């Protein structure tokens, strides 16, 4: 029998008043009383009287009569879930009285979203993101995302120390997650640690920052070493593509001109800087002959470099983020600093026209999937740069909003089909990071991570009732068609009737194996290259 527990989560709004989180149910299908006490002890907002209480979530669920959508097809069928796994996808499935039945007639039943790009509990620019692995994931579930992949930042360059730090941070997780790993320096220790991460820790991707000079930025020499190591391990190389030296020069130029506000952020790192770094990274990856993943593609300039590379046969993945698809940079010129600063991210949100071009690139296959770069800071944190845009913590929200914004901007508008939507928001991410069909599909044997979307319902976005801890939202006031009415994660109903039912610690770490489909045929291409060299040439040595 379910016990409904209302839990208060303190969230400060812009005037310092406390808002209450939506009602949260404690579900202990996976947790013992002692584990619940552990999370209470962790200090995540539980009242003492509620610690140790438990309840049960149904282990058997039938989703009846909906249109089941996968990336390859859609069909009207029932979906039966048992013990967290999809056990059947068929018409007119019969069940007993011990099964929870959800009527999905007239609605779409789709794989839960997978966000390939998030930053939860990340220490950055003198502060830490306001969303941790509980609040950020709770927001994700409310928006139909059932898994995300977060970026581990090394501790003083140490991958192992970074990994351990993030394992600790992720103990609050309420949905499944995976890890990418950033590389911020290079030596033999880092090289060996990369092997450990891939072979023992389930990490199959490494990110290289070409921006943030003086902190995260790496040189071309390091980039080449990293690319070679990624190739040998079957791990996917990822890049944040902006020319850090040029950005540094652009920032100095703005300050000299007296431009210190948020608009200076965009002016200091124009699209050409993103395009140059994207082109350079693609060419160096081609030189090594290893696949490349370009994160948060924000401009036409970068997109065209990816299009050119893919047309020539290079294995390049382009990931736009939802902010770049639906927003433009006019907000950065708002006279209210609080409003303008909340839109500061890197690469910047671009001028009118870039978003529509990126949407078109998604619809035609030039770009492959949609992330968020969810990296939230509240208005107080953003004021760290009130007199100098270089000190504004970079990042915007999106984990809760991505699924709705992509549906409204691209499916409702007719740019993509419903099956395309599943591919862009879930399936392709699962394929790229080698967790398909466990994730990203509604197939027998797949994890029961499922959303039910009503195309006839409407959604509205506001910081007054979103589930992020941030007091601002870059999609404030947006309304649209198509609402996620039910989210099922790991076979548990976690979002229903606009109500979250989540348990800290119930999320699972998903290990991701190396050598995804992007590496198919790489060895043959290498062999063909070697045979084409016609070298070394045997020459006669003569003396004069």
């Amino acid at each position: 029998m379910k016990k409904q527990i209302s839990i208060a989560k303190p969230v400060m709004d812009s005037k310092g008043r406390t808002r209450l989180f939506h009602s949260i149910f404690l579900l202990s299908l996976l947790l013992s009383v002692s584990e619940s006490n552990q999370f209470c002890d962790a200090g995540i907002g539980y009242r003492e009287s509620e610690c140790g209480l438990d309840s049960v979530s149904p282990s058997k669920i039938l989703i009846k009569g909906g249109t089941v959508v996968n990336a390859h097809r859609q069909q009207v069928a029932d979906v039966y879930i048992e013990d967290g796994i999809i056990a059947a996808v068929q018409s007119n499935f019969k069940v007993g009285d011990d099964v929870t039945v959800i009527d999905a007639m007239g609605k779409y039943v789709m794989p839960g979203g997978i966000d390939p790009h998030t930053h939860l509990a990340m220490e950055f620019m003198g502060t830490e993101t306001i969303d941790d692995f509980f609040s950020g994931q709770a927001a994700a579930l409310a928006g139909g995302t059932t898994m995300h992949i977060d970026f581990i930042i090394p501790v003083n360059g140490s991958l192992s120390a970074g990994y351990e730090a993030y394992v600790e941070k992720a103990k609050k997780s309420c949905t499944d997650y995976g890890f990418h790993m950033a590389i911020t320096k290079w030596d033999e220790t880092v090289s060996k640690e990369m092997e450990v991460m891939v072979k023992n820790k389930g990490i199959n991707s490494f990110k290289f920052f070409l921006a943030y000079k003086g902190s995260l930025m790496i040189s071309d020499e390091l980039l080449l070493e990293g690319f070679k190591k990624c190739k040998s391990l079957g791990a996917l190389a990822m890049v944040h593509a902006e020319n850090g030296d040029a950005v540094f020069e652009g920032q100095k130029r703005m300050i000299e001109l007296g431009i210190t506000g948020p608009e200076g952020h965009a002016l200091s790192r124009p699209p050409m800087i993103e395009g140059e770094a994207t082109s350079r990274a693609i060419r160096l990856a081609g030189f090594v002959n290893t696949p490349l993943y370009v994160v948060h593609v924000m401009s036409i300039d970068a997109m065209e470099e990816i299009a050119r590379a893919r047309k020539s046969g290079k294995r390049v993945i382009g990931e736009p983020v939802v902010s770049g698809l639906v927003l433009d940079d006019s907000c950065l010129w708002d006279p209210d600093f609080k409003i303008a600063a909340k839109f500061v991210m890197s690469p910047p949100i671009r001028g009118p026209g870039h978003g529509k071009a990126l949407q078109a690139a998604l619809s035609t296959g030039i770009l492959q999937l949609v992330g968020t770069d969810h990296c939230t800071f509240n208005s107080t944190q953003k004021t760290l740069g009130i007199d100098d845009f270089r000190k504004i913590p970079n990042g915007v929200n999106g984990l809760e909003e991505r699924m709705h914004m992509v549906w409204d901007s691209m499916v409702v508008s007719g740019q993509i089909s419903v099956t395309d939507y599943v591919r862009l928001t879930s399936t392709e991410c699962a394929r790229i990071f080698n967790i398909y069909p466990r994730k990203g599909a509604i197939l027998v044997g797949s994890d029961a991570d499922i959303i039910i979307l009503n195309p006839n319902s409407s959604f509205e976005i506001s910081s007054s009732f979103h589930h992020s801890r941030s007091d601002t939202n870059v999609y404030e006031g947006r309304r649209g068609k198509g609402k996620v009415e039910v989210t099922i994660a790991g076979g548990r109903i976690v979002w229903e009737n606009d109500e979250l039912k989540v348990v800290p610690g119930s999320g699972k770490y998903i290990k991701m194996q190396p050598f995804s489909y992007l590496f198919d045929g790489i060895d043959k291409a290498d062999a063909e290259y070697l045979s084409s060299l016609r070298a070394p040439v045997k020459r006669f040595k003569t003396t004069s």
Side-chain angles (χ1 to χ4, degrees):
M1 180 175 179
K2 286 184 181 178
K3 298 178 182 178
Q4 180 172 340
I5 308 297
S6 177
I7 295 173
K9 183 190 78 165
V11 182
M12 302 304 292
D13 67 13
S14 58
K15 296 181 180 179
R17 295 178 302 219
T18 298
R19 297 190 278 114
L20 295 182
F21 202 3
H22 280 258
S23 295
I24 302 176
F25 289 70
L26 283 179
L27 307 177
S28 61
L29 177 64
L30 303 176
L31 296 176
S32 66
V33 171
S34 62
E35 286 172 317
S36 296
N37 286 331
Q38 174 190 347
F39 295 121
C40 293
D41 294 340
I44 55 175
Y46 285 92
R47 294 196 292 267
E48 184 178 352
S49 62
E50 291 160 352
C51 294
L53 296 176
D54 63 353
S55 58
V56 178
S57 175
S59 60
K60 299 178 182 179
I61 301 171
L62 180 67
I63 304 171
K64 195 165 184 61
T67 300
V68 178
V69 186
N70 281 298
H72 63 288
R73 64 174 294 196
Q74 64 183 65
Q75 63 183 120
V76 176
D78 300 339
V79 179
Y80 177 61
I81 299 165
E82 188 166 340
D83 296 328
I85 301 296
I86 297 172
V89 181
Q90 65 184 71
S91 299
N92 301 315
F93 192 80
K94 305 298 181 184
V95 294
D97 294 336
D98 60 338
V99 176
T100 298
V101 178
I102 302 174
D103 182 4
M105 189 77 69
K107 303 173 185 179
Y108 291 112
V109 180
M110 299 184 282
I114 308 174
D115 189 338
H117 189 156
T118 64
H119 298 282
L120 301 181
M122 177 188 179
E123 296 169 18
F124 186 53
M125 296 184 72
T127 185
E128 183 173 316
T129 55
I130 198 69
D131 278 326
D132 61 16
F133 277 80
F134 179 68
S135 67
Q137 290 185 354
L141 291 170
T145 288
T146 54
M147 180 179 170
H148 69 105
I149 312 177
D150 209 81
F151 286 89
I152 293 175
I153 306 300
V155 175
N156 297 323
S158 169
L159 277 55
S160 298
Y163 176 81
E164 294 302 325
Y166 272 76
V167 166
E168 187 66 27
K169 292 177 181 184
K171 285 183 177 179
K172 298 177 181 180
S173 292
C174 56
T175 193
D176 291 356
Y177 62 97
F179 285 139
H180 310 290
M181 175 72 76
I183 302 294
T184 56
K185 73 171 190 177
W186 189 260
D187 56 28
E188 190 58 32
T189 299
V190 170
S191 177
K192 290 179 179 177
E193 284 186 317
M194 286 177 71
E195 295 182 24
V196 173
M197 293 300 133
V198 172
K199 295 175 181 178
N200 300 333
K201 305 300 185 183
I203 293 173
N204 66 0
S205 50
F206 295 92
K207 181 179 180 181
F208 303 87
F209 288 88
L210 307 188
Y212 300 119
K213 185 173 182 177
S215 57
L216 299 173
M217 178 179 163
I218 53 90
S219 66
D220 285 354
E221 179 183 8
L222 188 158
L223 188 63
L224 283 167
E225 292 296 333
F227 280 176
K228 289 190 295 182
K229 192 66 178 182
C230 283
K231 180 181 179 180
S232 70
L233 294 172
L236 182 58
M238 312 175 81
V239 289
H240 172 138
E242 290 182 287
N243 186 309
D245 290 319
V247 168
F248 185 73
E249 175 62 28
Q251 290 174 330
K252 287 197 300 181
R253 183 185 303 171
M254 292 305 111
I255 296 299
E256 289 169 359
L257 291 171
I259 302 171
T260 60
E263 69 279 10
H265 179 74
L267 293 170
S268 69
R269 48 212 310 154
M272 69 178 72
I273 300 305
E274 185 185 357
E276 184 279 332
T278 303
S279 172
R280 176 162 41 100
I282 288 171
R283 282 164 169 74
L284 291 179
F287 179 66
V288 175
N289 189 29
T290 195
L292 181 69
Y293 184 114
V294 183
V295 304
H296 47 42
V297 177
M298 297 293 285
S299 66
I300 293 172
D301 303 55
M303 179 269 289
E304 288 182 339
E305 294 295 340
I306 292 167
R308 187 176 298 112
R310 289 178 63 85
K311 186 176 180 179
S312 69
K314 290 187 173 63
R315 302 182 188 207
V316 181
I317 299 293
E319 169 215 270
V321 291
V322 66
S323 55
L325 295 175
V326 302
L327 301 174
D328 66 57
D329 68 354
S330 59
C331 45
L332 291 167
W333 273 259
D334 194 288
D336 186 330
F337 175 86
K338 176 183 173 182
I339 293 175
K342 74 179 179 180
F343 293 95
V344 170
M345 64 174 293
S346 296
I349 296 166
R350 302 300 185 185
H354 287 270
K356 287 295 184 183
L358 295 177
Q359 289 184 26
L362 273 173
S363 68
T364 55
I366 294 170
L367 302 176
Q368 285 68 52
L369 74 170
V370 182
T372 62
D373 194 9
H374 183 95
C375 186
T376 50
F377 300 97
N378 64 20
S379 56
T380 300
Q381 291 172 304
K382 291 279 189 175
T383 59
L384 291 170
I386 195 166
D387 296 317
D388 185 344
F389 68 84
R390 296 172 297 181
K391 298 178 182 178
I392 300 172
N394 291 193
V396 301
N397 60 289
L399 254 173
E400 186 168 357
E401 297 79 15
R402 178 183 70 124
M403 300 292 282
H404 288 112
M405 295 306 301
V406 174
W407 180 274
D408 185 62
S409 62
M410 299 198 68
V411 180
V412 174
S413 67
Q415 293 185 79
I416 61 173
S417 67
V418 181
T419 53
D420 286 336
Y421 174 80
V422 169
R423 175 175 54 82
L424 295 173
T425 60
S426 183
T427 307
E428 190 58 26
C429 182
R431 292 184 67 239
I432 289 169
F433 295 104
N434 223 7
I435 52 175
Y436 181 87
R438 177 182 179 183
K439 303 288 187 182
I442 298 182
L443 298 171
V444 174
S446 298
D447 285 358
D449 298 336
I450 296 172
I451 61 172
I452 301 174
L453 185 145
N454 187 342
N456 298 313
S457 289
S458 298
F459 68 85
E460 180 182 357
I461 297 171
S462 174
S463 59
S464 64
F465 51 76
H466 70 192
H467 297 82
S468 166
R469 288 197 176 117
S470 178
D471 60 348
T472 65
N473 192 309
V474 294
Y475 310 99
E476 186 72 40
R478 294 270 181 153
R479 293 183 171 90
K481 294 285 286 184
K483 183 180 180 183
V484 175
E485 294 185 338
V486 178
T487 303
I488 297 170
R492 295 173 293 117
I493 300 170
V494 294
W495 172 254
E496 188 178 29
N497 300 321
D498 290 341
E499 204 165 48
L500 269 172
K501 309 169 187 179
V502 292
V503 174
S506 59
K508 300 189 301 293
Y509 175 56
I510 305 299
K511 288 187 174 183
M512 300 178 290
Q513 298 302 311
F515 293 104
S516 74
Y517 80 92
L518 293 169
F519 285 84
D520 292 349
I522 288 285
D523 54 342
K524 295 179 181 178
D526 283 342
E528 184 175 341
Y529 165 73
L530 292 174
S531 66
S532 72
L533 297 179
R534 297 184 295 113
V537 176
K538 293 182 179 180
R539 291 184 171 85
F540 296 106
K541 293 183 179 179
T542 59
T543 57
S544 55

